[in-house]
Amino acid sequence: MVRTDTRIRNTKPQVTPLKLPDRGGLHLEVRPTGSKLWRYRFRLHGKDNVFALGEYPAVSLADARKARDAAKVLVKQGMNPAHQRKLDQLQAAHA
Protein backbone atom coordinates (compact mmCIF):
# COMPACT_ATOMS: atom_id res chain seq x y z
CA MET A 1 0.00 0.00 0.00
CA VAL A 2 1.47 3.30 -1.06
CA ARG A 3 1.66 5.83 1.75
CA THR A 4 0.62 9.45 1.68
CA ASP A 5 1.78 12.21 3.97
CA THR A 6 -1.67 12.45 5.59
CA ARG A 7 -1.77 8.73 6.40
CA ILE A 8 1.72 8.90 7.88
CA ARG A 9 0.87 11.88 10.11
CA ASN A 10 -2.33 10.23 11.34
CA THR A 11 -0.68 6.89 12.23
CA LYS A 12 -0.58 6.40 15.98
CA PRO A 13 2.00 4.30 17.86
CA GLN A 14 1.03 0.77 18.90
CA VAL A 15 2.25 -1.51 21.68
CA THR A 16 4.57 -3.25 19.21
CA PRO A 17 6.54 -1.64 16.36
CA LEU A 18 4.43 -1.15 13.25
CA LYS A 19 5.77 -1.30 9.68
CA LEU A 20 3.92 0.66 7.03
CA PRO A 21 5.10 -0.48 3.59
CA ASP A 22 5.43 1.93 0.69
CA ARG A 23 7.01 0.24 -2.34
CA GLY A 24 10.36 -0.97 -3.57
CA GLY A 25 11.52 -2.07 -0.12
CA LEU A 26 10.77 1.26 1.57
CA HIS A 27 8.76 1.22 4.77
CA LEU A 28 8.03 3.47 7.72
CA GLU A 29 8.62 1.94 11.14
CA VAL A 30 6.41 3.43 13.84
CA ARG A 31 7.84 2.63 17.26
CA PRO A 32 5.86 2.46 20.53
CA THR A 33 7.66 5.64 21.65
CA GLY A 34 6.04 7.50 18.75
CA SER A 35 9.13 7.90 16.57
CA LYS A 36 8.63 7.27 12.86
CA LEU A 37 11.68 5.99 11.01
CA TRP A 38 12.23 5.40 7.31
CA ARG A 39 13.85 2.05 6.47
CA TYR A 40 14.87 0.42 3.19
CA ARG A 41 15.00 -3.39 3.06
CA PHE A 42 17.26 -4.95 0.47
CA ARG A 43 19.00 -8.21 -0.28
CA LEU A 44 22.74 -8.20 -0.96
CA HIS A 45 24.97 -11.27 -1.41
CA GLY A 46 22.13 -13.54 -0.31
CA LYS A 47 21.47 -11.72 2.98
CA ASP A 48 18.63 -9.45 4.04
CA ASN A 49 19.70 -5.98 5.16
CA VAL A 50 17.97 -2.85 6.41
CA PHE A 51 19.24 0.67 5.69
CA ALA A 52 18.10 3.62 7.82
CA LEU A 53 17.07 6.64 5.75
CA GLY A 54 16.05 9.05 8.51
CA GLU A 55 13.24 10.11 10.78
CA TYR A 56 9.86 11.45 9.73
CA PRO A 57 9.06 14.42 9.45
CA ALA A 58 12.69 15.56 9.06
CA VAL A 59 12.83 13.27 6.01
CA SER A 60 9.64 13.61 3.98
CA LEU A 61 8.04 10.84 1.96
CA ALA A 62 9.44 12.27 -1.29
CA ASP A 63 12.94 12.56 0.19
CA ALA A 64 12.75 9.01 1.53
CA ARG A 65 11.80 7.73 -1.92
CA LYS A 66 14.74 9.61 -3.49
CA ALA A 67 17.12 8.18 -0.86
CA ARG A 68 15.72 4.70 -1.51
CA ASP A 69 16.35 5.12 -5.25
CA ALA A 70 19.94 6.20 -4.57
CA ALA A 71 20.46 3.22 -2.27
CA LYS A 72 19.01 0.88 -4.93
CA VAL A 73 21.68 2.06 -7.36
CA LEU A 74 24.39 1.16 -4.85
CA VAL A 75 22.86 -2.25 -4.19
CA LYS A 76 22.75 -2.97 -7.94
CA GLN A 77 26.47 -2.16 -8.03
CA GLY A 78 27.04 -4.68 -5.22
CA MET A 79 27.71 -2.11 -2.48
CA ASN A 80 26.02 -1.85 0.90
CA PRO A 81 24.54 1.67 1.24
CA ALA A 82 25.36 1.78 4.97
CA HIS A 83 29.02 1.01 4.28
CA GLN A 84 29.11 3.62 1.53
CA ARG A 85 27.60 6.25 3.85
CA LYS A 86 30.22 5.47 6.51
CA LEU A 87 32.99 5.69 3.91
CA ASP A 88 31.66 9.08 2.73
CA GLN A 89 31.63 10.35 6.34
CA LEU A 90 35.22 9.21 6.90
CA GLN A 91 36.37 10.87 3.68
CA ALA A 92 34.63 14.12 4.62
CA ALA A 93 36.24 14.07 8.07
CA HIS A 94 39.67 13.40 6.54
CA ALA A 95 39.33 16.27 4.08
Side-chain angles (χ1 to χ4, degrees):
M1 173 190 244
V2 177
R3 296 285 137 197
T4 62
D5 192 56
T6 305
R7 286 184 181 162
I8 293 169
R9 271 182 300 177
N10 293 335
T11 302
K12 303 297 180 207
Q14 310 262 326
V15 176
T16 58
L18 178 66
K19 291 182 182 177
L20 304 174
D22 186 50
R23 61 179 157 203
L26 180 66
H27 67 271
L28 184 74
E29 182 179 320
V30 182
R31 296 206 173 158
T33 59
S35 61
K36 298 176 181 180
L37 308 167
W38 291 109
R39 304 286 190 225
Y40 168 56
R41 279 189 81 166
F42 62 96
R43 193 164 178 84
L44 186 64
H45 307 300
K47 295 184 180 179
D48 287 330
N49 295 284
V50 178
F51 180 57
L53 299 174
E55 186 173 359
Y56 179 85
V59 177
S60 68
L61 176 59
D63 292 340
R65 287 176 177 166
K66 288 177 188 173
R68 178 214 43 211
D69 293 341
K72 270 188 173 184
V73 170
L74 292 173
V75 171
K76 284 183 181 180
Q77 294 173 355
M79 293 185 285
N80 188 324
H83 296 166
Q84 186 63 40
R85 177 169 51 197
K86 186 67 173 175
L87 181 62
D88 292 343
Q89 290 172 348
L90 289 172
Q91 288 175 345
H94 188 284

